[in-house]
């Protein structure tokens, strides 16, 4: 059993920063891949970033590259998404997800476990 709990969302002005956290528990292995996705009202869920526990490799959506950073703290079993230079178009519910594959992937179907989501709202 794997449990993910997202937190850290909120309301921020454009240009501001937020750090999302994803606390993991259960049978999370070092081979897992962790990802962040987001879903804005009326839109499909989209990939944001992914992180591999084994090796620390990362990938990002083009829309957030250079502004967002995904990282993990194995001692705390927590994955973070640092979001800087936020834009109104970043407004969405953000979800943490875990995949049993060590291969970094942007496909939501590859992630078997999901957090409950945390709302991020960026005002202009």
């Amino acid at each position: 059993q794997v449990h993910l709990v997202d937190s850290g969302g909120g309301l921020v002005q454009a240009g501001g920063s937020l750090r999302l956290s994803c606390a993991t528990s259960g049978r999370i292995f070092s081979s897992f891949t962790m990802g962040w996705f987001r879903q804005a009202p009326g839109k499909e869920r989209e990939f944001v970033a992914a992180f591999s526990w084994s090796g620390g490799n990362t990938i990002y959506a083009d829309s957030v590259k250079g502004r967002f950073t995904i990282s993990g703290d194995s001692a705390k079993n927590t994955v973070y998404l640092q979001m800087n230079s936020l834009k109104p178009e970043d407004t969405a519910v953000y979800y943490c997800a875990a995949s049993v594959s060590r291969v970094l992937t942007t496909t939501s179907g590859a992630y078997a476990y999901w957090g409950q989501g945390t709302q991020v709202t960026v005002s202009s």
Side-chain angles (χ1 to χ4, degrees), residues 6-31:
D6 309 325
S7 63
L11 173 64
V12 64
Q13 288 189 332
S17 298
L18 281 174
R19 188 177 78 160
L20 305 184
S21 298
C22 174
T24 72
S25 61
R27 297 175 62 81
I28 291 282
F29 297 104
S30 61
S31 59

Side-chain angles (χ1 to χ4, degrees), residues 100-116:
V100 300
S101 173
R102 66 174 69 241
V103 177
L104 291 175
T105 178
T106 64
T107 306
S108 61
Y111 293 81
Y113 306 99
W114 293 82
Q116 82 286 359

Side-chain angles (χ1 to χ4, degrees), residues 62-74:
D62 288 343
S63 59
V64 307
K65 215 173 278 185
R67 299 188 298 123
F68 291 11
T69 303
I70 187 172
S71 62
D73 184 334
S74 57

Side-chain angles (χ1 to χ4, degrees), residues 51-124:
F51 165 84
S52 172
W53 282 115
S54 59
N57 297 322
T58 59
I59 54 173
Y60 296 93
D62 288 343
S63 59
V64 307
K65 215 173 278 185
R67 299 188 298 123
F68 291 11
T69 303
I70 187 172
S71 62
D73 184 334
S74 57
K76 296 182 179 180
N77 293 325
T78 300
V79 176
Y80 302 100
L81 185 67
Q82 178 66 43
M83 307 186 295
N84 299 328
S85 302
L86 282 162
K87 305 175 182 180
E89 51 263 43
D90 294 318
T91 295
V93 177
Y94 283 71
Y95 298 90
C96 175
S99 169
V100 300
S101 173
R102 66 174 69 241
V103 177
L104 291 175
T105 178
T106 64
T107 306
S108 61
Y111 293 81
Y113 306 99
W114 293 82
Q116 82 286 359
T118 183
Q119 175 71 47
V120 171
T121 303
V122 184
S123 63
S124 56

